[in-house]
Amino acid sequence: MSETALHDLLLSGSFRVGRTLVTHLSDGVVVEPRANWFHGVDPACWMPVVGAGSPDTPFPVTFGGFLVQTPDTTTMFDCGIGPLARSMFPGIREGGNLLHRLEEAGVAPGEVDRVVISHLHLDHCGHLLKPDGSLTFESAEVWLHHREAEYWRSAAAAGNIEPARIRRYLDALQSAGVLRTYADEFELSPGSG
């Protein structure tokens, strides 16, 4: 991958829908074969989608999240890998820099009203806490599906990736009184109409 192409992947690309501005915030890019990501899926199904000629073809995967801004709210949807980027993904480029991308978008972490987490793998929730254990988005409520919270607190999560770390995240959010769960449909960013 050329440096120009990598740079384009890392840029905070934005688009507007009505009064809502959506900005992609990268937390790093890895370029390598990813056959191990598609367990149980025939390579013929996923290779055309990612533009791979074989399961061993390297292709870029960008980590990060989306900033969703309305005139009334500032919402993060997922928040990248965080400080563990380089140890989790050796060779990652620009890993762990989502907060710099947020700053480039003109937003400080304290200005984020809510963080919505799609699921609690570390590449989606890694910036929830700073290395010292304090909240990164100190003014934000953190929303996730109630089944996700229940799963990570259950014995079923024992074989998943970093369950003890995820439980520490949940405990810190709950102790701070900012953890919120939902059960059904969920309005990602209030006032985005």
Side-chain angles (χ1 to χ4, degrees):
M1 168 177 281
S2 73
E3 288 303 312
T4 302
L6 174 63
H7 185 262
D8 290 345
L9 277 175
L10 293 174
L11 284 178
S12 299
S14 299
F15 62 91
R16 188 171 289 282
V17 179
R19 302 180 318 140
T20 301
L21 178 64
V22 179
T23 305
H24 172 253
L25 302 176
S26 176
D27 205 31
V29 175
V30 174
V31 181
E32 58 185 47
R34 289 290 170 194
N36 62 328
W37 283 21
F38 303 105
H39 300 286
V41 179
D42 183 345
C45 292
W46 62 262
M47 288 188 317
V49 176
V50 300
S54 84
D56 299 321
T57 301
F59 63 91
V61 174
T62 183
F63 300 96
F66 292 90
L67 180 67
V68 181
Q69 296 172 280
T70 71
D72 303 316
T73 62
T74 302
T75 301
M76 280 291 309
F77 182 77
D78 285 343
C79 60
I81 309 167
L84 296 174
R86 286 182 175 81
S87 61
M88 285 183 68
F89 297 97
I92 191 169
R93 300 176 194 183
E94 291 293 314
N97 287 332
L98 180 130
L99 298 180
H100 297 296
R101 304 288 87 80
L102 183 65
E103 182 180 318
E104 290 171 357
V107 177
E111 296 174 311
V112 175
D113 302 309
R114 64 187 350 200
V115 179
V116 179
I117 300 296
S118 63
H119 64 285
L120 287 170
H121 278 158
L122 284 172
D123 57 323
H124 293 262
C125 68
H127 278 288
L128 285 175
L129 299 181
K130 297 177 186 175
D132 67 6
S134 63
L135 301 179
T136 301
F137 306 99
E138 64 267 17
S139 303
E141 297 178 333
V142 178
W143 287 83
L144 66 141
H145 197 279
H146 76 96
R147 288 186 184 155
E148 188 72 5
E150 291 165 6
Y151 166 79
W152 286 98
R153 293 197 184 280
S154 75
N160 213 312
I161 303 165
E162 301 257 5
R165 185 178 303 276
I166 298 302
R167 288 184 185 121
R168 283 195 299 275
Y169 284 27
L170 288 171
D171 291 345
L173 296 169
Q174 193 159 14
S175 293
V178 298
L179 182 61
R180 307 285 185 268
T181 60
Y182 62 94
D184 297 310
E185 288 188 20
F186 177 71
E187 187 177 16
L188 176 64
S189 187
S192 60

